[in-house]
Amino acid sequence: MMKSNALKIYGLALVCFIFIFSSCVPKRDLVASQLRTRQLQSDSARMANNISDLQDRITGLKNDISNLNDQVASLSHNNNTQENQLAMSKEALKKQQQKLQQLQSLLDSQKEKSEALRKKMADALSGFSSNELTVTQKNGKVYVSMQENLLFPSGSAVVSTKGVDALAKLAAVLNTNPDIQIDIEGHTDSVPIRGRFQDNWELSTARANSIVRILVGRYRVSPLNLVASGHSQYDPVATNSTPEGRAKNRRTDIILSPKLDELYNLINQ
């Protein structure tokens, strides 16, 4: 009987233990599951934040790439523009160099023509002394400077016989060079004129006109190429304070200039 009761008590205790044990295990698992759930939720939130940060960085990088592409496009456009401008500048420089070469060629040609004209004129007038006339070249022009003692009596605008002979030789050269511009400039010293002329202005101009009339009327030099002017005492080549200086200033300059139409046309292109 006692043994039977003991077995009953043991069985009851075992049942209670099993019941208690079985009820404790699920509760521990539930707590553990809850902890894991919270951990997972925390991890998920952290990963969500990381994903958001990465998306922001990706968006920022996309913007940077877009900006860089814009800069590359702008630099490429500027580079193309600069290349075009450089090509245009090179072409313009090439044209300018060609123009300069043409100008230099024309200038050299004009210089040669001027020197040839000077030589022809010097040869034609070689029979006159240096105190009567000089033939020089300056700035592409030929200057035939005739003194008063060759062309005119003192205070007169009537060309002397010897002066007419000199003009005949000069006209012979001019008529073989019809493209020459001819400027006749009368000059005096500073001593006031007395006689038929009002002043040195009138005398210097009358002398230039007398030479023009002889060249055109007697020797058929083209009037289209002739210009006459009087400078009175205001363009001296020597001092007016000495007799020698005044004698040099009493002169008529015949200035011969090759026509420069071709040169001017090239410059104005």
Side-chain angles (χ1 to χ4, degrees):
M1 186 70 175
M2 291 182 60
K3 185 177 180 178
S4 177
N5 290 334
L7 289 172
K8 291 180 179 179
I9 293 171
Y10 176 77
L12 182 61
L14 180 61
V15 171
C16 290
F17 174 78
I18 293 171
F19 176 78
I20 293 171
F21 179 78
S22 63
S23 63
C24 289
V25 170
K27 184 175 182 180
R28 187 167 60 248
D29 291 342
L30 178 62
V31 172
S33 176
Q34 289 176 340
L35 290 175
R36 285 196 300 273
T37 300
R38 292 192 189 98
Q39 183 65 42
L40 290 171
Q41 289 175 341
S42 177
D43 292 344
S44 176
R46 184 167 61 254
M47 291 180 66
N49 289 333
N50 290 338
I51 291 171
S52 179
D53 291 341
L54 289 173
Q55 288 177 337
D56 290 341
R57 291 180 63 184
I58 290 171
T59 301
L61 289 172
K62 287 181 178 179
N63 291 334
D64 291 342
I65 291 171
S66 177
N67 291 334
L68 289 172
N69 286 331
D70 290 342
Q71 291 179 16
V72 169
S74 177
L75 289 172
S76 178
H77 174 73
N78 292 338
N79 184 56
N80 291 335
T81 301
Q82 291 176 353
E83 287 180 351
N84 291 335
Q85 291 176 344
L86 179 60
M88 292 173 62
S89 297
K90 286 182 177 179
E91 183 64 24
L93 179 60
K94 182 179 179 181
K95 289 181 179 179
Q96 288 297 323
Q97 288 175 335
Q98 291 174 344
K99 188 174 182 179
L100 284 174
Q101 290 175 351
Q102 290 176 302
L103 285 172
Q104 186 61 53
S105 178
L106 281 175
L107 288 173
D108 292 341
S109 176
Q110 294 295 342
K111 186 177 179 180
E112 290 175 0
K113 290 179 181 179
S114 180
E115 175 57 27
L117 179 61
R118 184 204 65 78
K119 189 176 185 305
K120 287 180 182 179
M121 197 61 70
D123 291 343
L125 299 172
S126 61
F128 300 92
S129 63
S130 60
N131 67 341
E132 290 177 323
L133 65 81
T134 58
V135 181
T136 57
Q137 182 184 14
K138 182 173 64 176
N139 299 327
K141 300 178 181 181
V142 176
Y143 288 74
V144 180
S145 185
M146 296 184 172
Q147 299 305 126
E148 180 188 59
N149 63 336
L150 171 63
L151 292 174
F152 303 103
S154 179
S156 172
V158 178
V159 180
S160 66
T161 302
K162 194 172 184 180
V164 171
D165 182 43
L167 293 177
K169 291 178 171 58
L170 183 140
V173 177
L174 295 179
N175 286 332
T176 60
N177 295 271
D179 59 342
I180 298 297
Q181 178 67 39
I182 308 162
D183 291 291
I184 313 295
E185 297 183 352
H187 299 272
T188 68
D189 59 22
S190 60
V191 178
I193 189 68
R194 293 184 180 87
R196 56 170 295 200
F197 297 102
Q198 180 178 351
D199 53 27
N200 285 330
W201 278 115
E202 187 176 1
L203 174 61
S204 64
T205 303
R207 285 179 168 180
N209 288 334
S210 294
I211 293 174
V212 167
R213 291 189 181 96
I214 291 173
L215 292 176
V216 174
R218 187 175 300 189
Y219 300 115
R220 298 294 185 267
V221 175
S222 173
L224 299 177
N225 297 339
L226 282 165
V227 176
S229 61
H231 294 251
S232 185
Q233 68 196 46
Y234 300 105
D235 189 15
V237 293
T239 178
N240 277 306
S241 61
T242 65
E244 294 79 11
R246 289 192 295 272
K248 290 180 180 179
N249 290 332
R250 295 191 298 270
R251 71 196 191 279
T252 301
D253 288 336
I254 302 174
I255 305 170
L256 312 176
S257 308
K259 288 187 177 180
L260 302 176
D261 295 348
E262 187 178 2
L263 185 62
Y264 292 147
N265 290 336
L266 180 59
I267 291 174
N268 292 327
Q269 285 181 358

